[in-house]
Amino acid sequence: EIAICTDLENDVTDVTNVRGAYGVKAGTIGLTVAGDYNFDSENIVVGAEATGIEVAGIGLGAAVTYDVDAENIGFEGHTNIIGLTAYLNGDQDEVLQNIGTSYDYNLAGITLSGGLNYNFDAEEMTPTVGASFSF
């Protein structure tokens, strides 16, 4: 998968980012590597994700990213239990920045979602609610 990103409000010929990702499956485990290059800042961000790891009936996954300019490694771990997704994330400087949960429910082709995130820096809880559909 390759994406070319532009700012549609300005000039669509001004390409700002090129992103690419490649994924493979090894049994139930999915592995993805990705990269992003910003033409303006010349910054590169690379990442990798593993999903579908199952331990005692619980689905686990993890992602790690590296921002070349910031020289910063970020990470996220997530789990899925009976339709509920829980995650935590941080970076090399602050191991635990956010923790949260979300739930999706499909109602006649419409996905209803709700979630809650707690940011440890701001000491703030943020709820989310959404609905999406495809046609």
Side-chain angles (χ1 to χ4, degrees):
E1 173 182 321
I2 295 177
I4 298 174
C5 304
T6 66
D7 181 351
L8 296 176
E9 292 181 4
N10 293 321
D11 181 0
V12 295
T13 62
D14 182 21
V15 176
T16 56
N17 289 66
V18 173
R19 297 178 181 138
Y22 182 75
V24 296
K25 290 220 33 129
T28 61
I29 298 173
L31 302 171
T32 303
V33 294
D36 177 281
Y37 177 75
N38 183 296
F39 286 102
D40 296 332
S41 67
E42 297 182 352
N43 187 32
I44 297 171
V45 178
V46 293
E49 178 183 37
T51 59
I53 302 164
E54 191 169 312
V55 177
I58 299 171
L60 301 173
V64 63
T65 58
Y66 179 71
D67 184 319
V68 174
D69 281 357
E71 297 180 350
N72 195 325
I73 297 172
F75 73 90
E76 179 169 300
H78 54 87
T79 184
N80 297 304
I81 305 169
I82 57 171
L84 191 66
T85 300
Y87 64 89
L88 57 89
N89 62 35
D91 65 21
Q92 69 192 35
D93 300 323
E94 190 173 353
V95 175
L96 191 56
Q97 292 178 359
N98 292 283
I99 189 167
T101 186
S102 64
Y103 184 77
D104 291 340
Y105 180 76
N106 192 329
L107 178 65
I110 299 173
T111 302
L112 305 172
S113 59
L116 195 58
N117 182 76
Y118 181 76
N119 181 296
F120 287 94
D121 292 333
E123 297 181 351
E124 178 174 279
M125 192 154 314
T126 308
T128 59
V129 176
S132 62
F133 60 91
S134 298
F135 53 90

